Amino acid sequence: MRVSLFATCLVDMFQGNVGKSSVELLEKLGCEIDFPESQVCCGQPSYNSGYVKESKEAMKRMIEAFEDAEYVVSPSGSCAFMFKEYPHIFKGDPVWEPKARKLAEKTYELTQFIVDVLKVEDVGATFEGNATYHTSCHMTRLLGVKEAPMTLLKHVKGLNFTELPGKEQCCGFGGTFSVKMAQISEQMVDEKVCHVEETGADYLIGADAGCLMNIGGRIDRKGKPVKVLHIAEVLNSR
């Protein structure tokens, strides 16, 4: 099975180990991985800020970058969902709507792909520690991926898991929201950090780099002894 990795901007620039872990994990599960080097930003930040026309140029480049892919897999529910939005954005365009639809149909978030396509629930990971999991808004509410991460984490040997109180609440990142509404965002992430502390977890696991950077940054500034990890890093542990 051939998989093209959609790494995302944040992973590419700030969290390279997440991309590396994703590749190694999928290879262990028998996938052949390629990385289209022509990929750029999916256009989500500018699109959500109202710059629809300007965003379409980046989106077209992404459609072309992954045109020959068998499957497209991303370690980000938020960015994977953006590909699902492309058919709506290009609706009525005789050239780009069909191409956008093909891309959307073959795109998956990492845990979704492992559980729903590869039909694997236990990747053979071992990770010692007490952990909790942050459910990001885009991944759960829009992409609809809720059970796959939990299914995989349940099978990680040595992992003691505690459900995060108020898990349905946004962490305050929301892309450009955290910049435009910084004071509100700060209050939201402070509440999230308090909930993480309530669990007594040593590790906070998540599946979206943006959320993890936001919560992790606040944890660091508050001097809390909690380490933030992407789920790919945990599932790739042995």
Side-chain angles (χ1 to χ4, degrees), residues 2-153:
R2 187 164 59 90
V3 172
S4 296
L5 182 69
F6 167 26
T8 80
C9 300
L10 292 181
V11 169
D12 191 37
M13 292 187 289
F14 301 112
Q15 299 183 357
N17 192 55
V18 173
K20 181 174 179 288
S21 295
S22 298
V23 170
E24 291 177 349
L25 176 60
L26 290 171
E27 286 180 339
K28 289 171 186 174
L29 295 174
C31 298
E32 178 185 339
I33 314 298
D34 66 75
F35 180 82
E37 295 187 9
S38 59
Q39 62 182 284
V40 293
C41 177
C42 65
Q44 182 176 172
S46 55
Y47 176 75
N48 288 346
S49 296
Y51 298 98
V52 179
K53 181 180 178 181
E54 293 83 353
S55 301
K56 284 185 175 181
E57 293 308 308
M59 295 175 187
K60 289 176 181 178
R61 285 191 61 182
M62 290 297 266
I63 291 171
E64 291 175 337
F66 291 99
E67 198 161 14
D68 296 327
E70 182 179 349
Y71 290 97
V72 178
V73 176
S74 175
S76 167
S78 177
C79 295
F81 175 73
M82 192 62 203
F83 274 10
K84 302 292 187 181
E85 284 284 272
Y86 280 14
H88 166 73
I89 295 168
F90 287 101
K91 188 173 180 61
D93 188 310
V95 175
W96 292 101
E97 184 184 355
K99 291 184 178 183
R101 196 166 300 283
K102 286 181 181 179
L103 176 59
E105 290 171 352
K106 62 186 178 183
T107 296
Y108 296 86
E109 180 273 332
L110 177 65
T111 63
Q112 177 190 34
F113 180 75
I114 293 172
V115 174
D116 295 345
V117 179
L118 297 182
K119 304 299 181 183
V120 174
E121 295 187 353
D122 186 346
V123 297
T126 298
F127 189 89
E128 300 285 342
N130 301 313
T132 190
Y133 179 81
H134 166 67
T135 55
S136 59
C137 298
H138 273 78
M139 184 162 159
T140 55
R141 299 175 188 175
L142 299 179
L143 190 60
V145 177
K146 300 177 182 179
E147 300 302 325
M150 307 312 303
T151 296
L152 293 169
L153 288 175

Side-chain angles (χ1 to χ4, degrees), residues 120-208:
V120 174
E121 295 187 353
D122 186 346
V123 297
T126 298
F127 189 89
E128 300 285 342
N130 301 313
T132 190
Y133 179 81
H134 166 67
T135 55
S136 59
C137 298
H138 273 78
M139 184 162 159
T140 55
R141 299 175 188 175
L142 299 179
L143 190 60
V145 177
K146 300 177 182 179
E147 300 302 325
M150 307 312 303
T151 296
L152 293 169
L153 288 175
K154 278 193 306 184
H155 289 89
V156 175
K157 297 177 182 63
L159 185 68
N160 297 314
F161 183 81
T162 303
E163 186 170 290
L164 185 65
K167 63 179 183 179
E168 71 285 348
Q169 297 171 358
C170 177
C171 73
F173 178 62
T176 54
F177 171 82
S178 60
V179 178
K180 295 178 179 178
M181 303 290 183
Q183 291 182 324
I184 298 175
S185 175
E186 182 180 312
Q187 296 300 312
M188 293 170 73
V189 74
D190 276 348
E191 185 175 27
K192 183 66 68 174
V193 172
C194 285
H195 288 324
V196 172
E197 283 190 284
E198 287 176 29
T199 67
D202 302 309
Y203 299 94
L204 171 66
I205 303 170
D208 266 302

